[in-house]
Amino acid sequence: MCTIDTICYQWQANPLHIPFCAINPTQSLSSSRHHSNFPLQVIEMAKIYNEREEKGEKESARNGGNGVEQLPSSLRWELLPKHVAVIMDGNSRWARMKGLPTWAGHEAGYRSLEEMVKLSCRWGIQVLTVYAFSFENWHRPKVEVDFLMMMIEGCLKENIECFLSEGIRLRIIGDSSSFPNSLQEVAKEAQEKTKTNSRLEFNIAISYSGRRDITQACQKIAWKVQHGLLDSADITESLIEQELETNYSTKFPCPDLLIRTSGEQRLSNFLLWQSAYTELFFTKTLWPDFGEPEYIEALCSFQQRERRFGQRIVSE
Amino acid sequence: MLKIFLAEKSVQGLGDWLPSISSISRYMDLSDEIVRVLIPPQRRVRSSKILRLTLGSFWCLLHLLVNIVHLGSYLINLLLYCMISSGLLQKYQNLQLDKLRYLAIVVESEEAKNTTKIKQLLGWLAAIGVKYVTLYDMEGVLKKSVETVLKSSANPSVANGNAVVSLHQDRMTIELLSFSDGKEAVAKAASFLCLQYLEGDSVGYNKMEPVFTETDVTNALKAVGHGGPDLDLLLVYGPARCHLGFPAWRIRYTEIVHMGSLQSMKYGAVVKAIYDFSKKHQNYGS
């Protein structure tokens, strides 16, 4: 017998999809004659509904649909954030809780990131920025740092083809001069190969610091003034914003929603300038346990804010 | 899978307990289709009504259960704040403030016009023993209203947007900030650094490329009158859970807590936020 949670999930996510175990009819609903054919009949119905839905999606795509797959019913496409940022915290704690070594926590965290990228593509999020390694993380034990650098390099190599096929544009932000040479090469190659993709802009912050970002922006501006490209009297906040690392080619440089996992409620030097008007969502879930339900909760929370306060701002 | 349902419902609040019309109509269409295929025509009418009723009741029941849980959670928090205020919980009475040297309050500009509430909040913080409070709102409403209030109080001393006042027999420094102290201040600091660099360059440094450090930017901010300590805790009052452009340079490792509306602020909630902060452990990335 199908459990209540399966019914809830399936009908929430997609009411027209019927799992083969969706219904367990009571005696009053079926006769013995129908009961023997019941599973086949429900499977047939499921096929019919799935075909209808696929047909609907194709028509929508032909008519200029946005390629977004069907959202969970509580999410509305027009209220989704364009740019989501994530501080992926809690890998080490997760590993400690499970009695596993730290590297196992980072591997589990990588699986969560894969899922998040997939969901972001599916639901039409346009920019996803994740905080993979902060500038301060270089102070961690060398074994852990070396493992992380190796893991990041391996993940980039492993996923280049996937980025290409899914239309994901990869960008690495942070101080790349501190990466191992091999990672610098792989990062450069991955960014170059995916630069024409446009379905999802995927920014990975490695060796990133919000303060260093602002500092390097001031430095670039000083260089431009030195070379006569700018006047020092013309330095404004928009000029600084243009020189920040998140401003390269993206239409949405500032995140609409910032999610931090593991219960900590701070930015930890991530996107300090860019997060001025960002909705902050802090969750106690550790990053390896962050999945679709938690992502939906964060997006719902963002939508609630838009529904209640976006209209008020417009009416003012 | 139930987690997805609960996750969605957890943010909808008490006002949304009725399921949406479109979701109910989808389920009704689905139930009609099932009945049409599975059940002989002469029994369809009665069976479809039973199924509709069952599914509809089931859905409403789930919504009701989730909202009861959230109502319960809200009431428990209210009770906790009352108990904290009345001194029933010993652990909240002697707060350890060693880690809390600098506290900031961000208020949405509309709510910042309520100076009574602001004064009440400052009084609470002074009573708790906080020594340094930064008040911020985007439009500078607090700068105008609170500065006037502070100037008229005993021992007024206001300079550069800061005031040292005596509240509840303790001295507390109050700093007043607005949007101009945030991004605009960094632009001024960038301009200062640029001029400083060009002056140094003209003395004959062989046109070296500019290299700035974080310390340079910090010193530049001080030089242009927008320096200040890094904040430990930031309490946000207002509808939005964001810091509304608070000076970015100073919130690198700041704990940010959303407190809800200023109108419904509670002393117990402030004490709890400070208590929770005192128990936090930060490793600063290492």
Side-chain angles (χ1 to χ4, degrees):
Chain A
M1 178 177 170
C2 189
T3 55
I4 290 173
D5 58 352
T6 306
I7 296 173
C8 288
Y9 170 58
Q10 293 290 348
W11 288 351
Q12 273 291 308
N14 195 339
L16 298 182
H17 271 284
I18 309 167
F20 75 91
C21 60
I23 299 291
N24 183 16
T26 64
Q27 287 296 326
S28 63
L29 291 176
S30 66
S31 68
S32 58
R33 181 164 59 88
H34 288 282
H35 196 266
S36 60
N37 291 331
F38 166 69
L40 291 173
Q41 286 170 330
V42 178
I43 290 170
E44 262 326 296
M45 284 169 58
K47 281 185 191 164
I48 291 167
Y49 269 98
N50 290 345
E51 279 164 13
R52 280 187 201 168
E53 197 181 43
E54 280 169 18
K55 195 177 165 188
E57 278 176 5
K58 280 181 188 160
E59 278 174 0
S60 164
R62 271 201 297 272
N63 294 337
N66 54 23
V68 172
E69 295 179 25
Q70 190 160 4
L71 294 174
S73 63
S74 57
L75 296 180
R76 287 168 57 187
W77 180 79
E78 66 274 17
L79 294 180
L80 282 179
K82 301 283 186 285
H83 180 167
V84 175
V86 187
I87 301 177
M88 306 181 292
D89 195 12
N91 292 344
S92 303
R93 259 168 286 181
W94 182 90
R96 268 201 304 276
M97 274 172 48
K98 304 274 183 196
L100 296 169
T102 307
W103 63 261
H106 292 308
E107 286 224 341
Y110 165 58
R111 303 290 161 216
S112 290
L113 178 58
E114 272 189 320
E115 175 73 3
M116 188 163 206
V117 171
K118 199 169 63 174
L119 292 171
S120 300
C121 280
R122 192 190 296 173
W123 294 338
I125 305 293
Q126 301 199 35
V127 186
L128 176 67
T129 303
V130 299
Y131 203 14
F133 191 88
S134 76
F135 193 77
E136 289 76 22
N137 287 157
W138 289 110
H139 300 298
R140 287 194 175 183
K142 188 173 184 309
V143 171
E144 188 180 348
V145 168
D146 289 345
F147 172 78
L148 284 168
M149 289 296 118
M150 205 169 64
M151 195 180 88
I152 292 171
E153 186 180 330
C155 295
L156 290 179
K157 276 186 194 160
E158 186 184 302
N159 287 289
I160 287 181
E161 292 309 317
C162 173
F163 293 152
L164 287 170
S165 63
E166 295 295 324
I168 297 173
R169 178 176 186 169
L170 180 72
R171 182 176 296 287
I172 309 292
I173 61 173
D175 179 17
S176 55
S177 64
S178 49
F179 299 173
N181 288 335
S182 54
L183 176 55
Q184 288 188 40
E185 291 296 324
V186 170
K188 200 171 162 189
E189 183 196 348
Q191 289 177 96
E192 187 59 33
K193 281 187 172 174
T194 59
K195 68 180 180 187
T196 54
N197 292 343
S198 59
R199 186 182 179 190
L200 171 74
E201 285 196 32
F202 181 31
N203 301 319
I204 306 182
I206 306 174
S207 188
Y208 178 84
S209 153
R211 275 195 176 180
R212 286 176 70 90
D213 198 2
I214 296 170
T215 306
Q216 65 86 30
C218 295
Q219 193 168 292
K220 280 187 193 154
I221 289 171
W223 183 90
K224 288 186 174 178
V225 171
Q226 180 194 36
H227 290 267
L229 299 170
L230 270 179
D231 193 86
S232 60
D234 296 334
I235 298 174
T236 60
E237 65 209 63
S238 359
L239 211 60
I240 293 180
E241 196 148 316
Q242 283 167 32
E243 301 296 341
L244 293 172
E245 294 200 61
T246 44
N247 221 57
Y248 297 135
S249 83
T250 178
K251 291 174 285 191
F252 307 104
C254 298
D256 302 300
L257 172 67
L258 186 146
I259 301 169
R260 180 168 186 157
T261 54
S262 87
E264 305 300 337
Q265 299 184 102
R266 50 187 180 265
L267 297 174
S268 293
N269 215 357
F270 184 51
L271 303 181
L272 297 177
W273 178 286
Q274 298 88 333
S275 62
Y277 309 109
T278 303
E279 175 83 1
L280 303 173
F281 182 82
F282 300 120
T283 173
K284 290 189 177 153
T285 308
L286 300 176
W287 177 245
D289 293 328
F290 191 91
E292 187 172 349
E294 290 78 17
Y295 199 7
I296 292 175
E297 185 181 357
L299 294 174
C300 282
S301 167
F302 177 81
Q303 284 189 160
Q304 288 295 311
R305 175 203 181 208
E306 287 298 309
R307 278 183 201 155
R308 287 179 188 162
F309 310 117
Q311 284 179 355
R312 198 179 85 186
I313 291 167
V314 166
S315 64
E316 280 172 359
Chain B
M1 294 164 187
L2 181 61
K3 279 171 73 175
I4 289 186
F5 169 70
L6 290 175
E8 289 171 349
K9 297 309 153 198
S10 72
V11 295
Q12 282 187 1
L14 300 176
D16 296 309
W17 75 277
L18 286 172
S20 68
I21 305 282
S22 63
S23 63
I24 290 183
S25 67
R26 276 176 160 178
Y27 305 139
M28 297 301 111
D29 291 340
L30 172 63
S31 66
D32 286 343
E33 195 63 31
I34 294 168
V35 163
R36 185 186 67 78
V37 171
L38 295 179
I39 298 165
Q42 63 271 24
R43 297 174 76 179
R44 272 179 204 158
V45 173
R46 184 165 57 101
S47 300
S48 73
K49 282 185 184 165
I50 294 169
L51 188 61
R52 278 175 176 233
L53 196 60
T54 309
L55 288 173
S57 306
F58 171 70
W59 191 243
C60 288
L61 184 63
L62 270 178
H63 273 267
L64 189 60
L65 279 174
V66 169
N67 284 294
I68 286 172
V69 165
H70 283 288
L71 178 62
S73 168
Y74 172 72
L75 291 174
I76 287 170
N77 275 337
L78 271 185
L79 182 63
L80 178 64
Y81 298 151
C82 286
M83 288 169 71
I84 292 172
S85 304
S86 52
L88 290 173
L89 296 174
Q90 195 57 39
K91 69 177 182 179
Y92 293 103
Q93 296 312 302
N94 300 311
L95 293 174
Q96 299 299 317
L97 298 178
D98 328 326
K99 286 202 268 186
L100 182 62
R101 294 160 303 160
Y102 307 105
L103 180 140
I105 306 284
V106 169
V107 187
E108 202 253 343
S109 294
E110 271 303 306
E111 298 201 348
K113 292 171 185 169
N114 191 341
T115 45
T116 312
K117 286 286 183 185
I118 298 291
K119 276 166 64 179
Q120 186 181 20
L121 182 57
L122 288 174
W124 288 348
L125 293 171
I128 289 168
V130 178
K131 297 291 182 211
Y132 193 108
V133 175
T134 302
L135 289 176
Y136 172 90
D137 78 285
M138 270 187 69
E139 292 169 21
V141 170
L142 290 171
K143 271 186 175 175
K144 291 173 206 150
S145 60
V146 177
E147 199 163 358
T148 314
V149 166
L150 294 177
K151 273 181 177 167
S152 62
S153 68
N155 300 323
S157 172
V158 181
N160 297 329
N162 289 354
V164 179
V165 292
S166 294
L167 285 172
H168 292 257
Q169 301 171 343
D170 291 316
R171 295 182 76 75
M172 184 163 81
T173 302
I174 297 175
E175 187 185 9
L176 302 166
L177 298 180
S178 66
F179 189 76
S180 59
D181 299 291
K183 293 185 175 181
E184 287 179 21
V186 175
K188 285 183 198 166
S191 188
F192 175 87
L193 277 173
C194 205
L195 288 171
Q196 203 180 42
Y197 167 74
L198 290 172
E199 277 170 21
D201 195 44
S202 66
V203 174
Y205 278 96
N206 297 321
K207 302 257 185 242
M208 281 192 317
E209 300 296 331
V211 176
F212 298 152
T213 63
E214 290 179 35
T215 312
D216 293 331
V217 177
T218 305
N219 293 337
L221 283 166
K222 276 188 196 143
V224 299
H226 292 285
D230 284 5
L231 296 155
D232 301 306
L233 178 62
L234 191 145
L235 305 181
V236 179
Y237 283 95
R241 281 188 296 265
C242 71
H243 59 78
L244 299 176
F246 191 93
W249 199 258
R250 296 171 62 178
I251 55 170
R252 189 168 46 154
Y253 297 117
T254 307
E255 201 78 4
I256 301 171
V257 181
H258 182 239
M259 305 294 285
S261 160
L262 188 71
Q263 192 59 37
S264 55
M265 66 180 193
K266 300 209 173 8
Y267 176 72
V270 174
V271 170
K272 187 169 185 308
I274 294 175
Y275 174 82
D276 289 343
F277 172 77
S278 70
K279 297 297 172 197
K280 287 270 180 184
H281 168 72
Q282 279 210 40
N283 57 9
Y284 300 98
S286 55

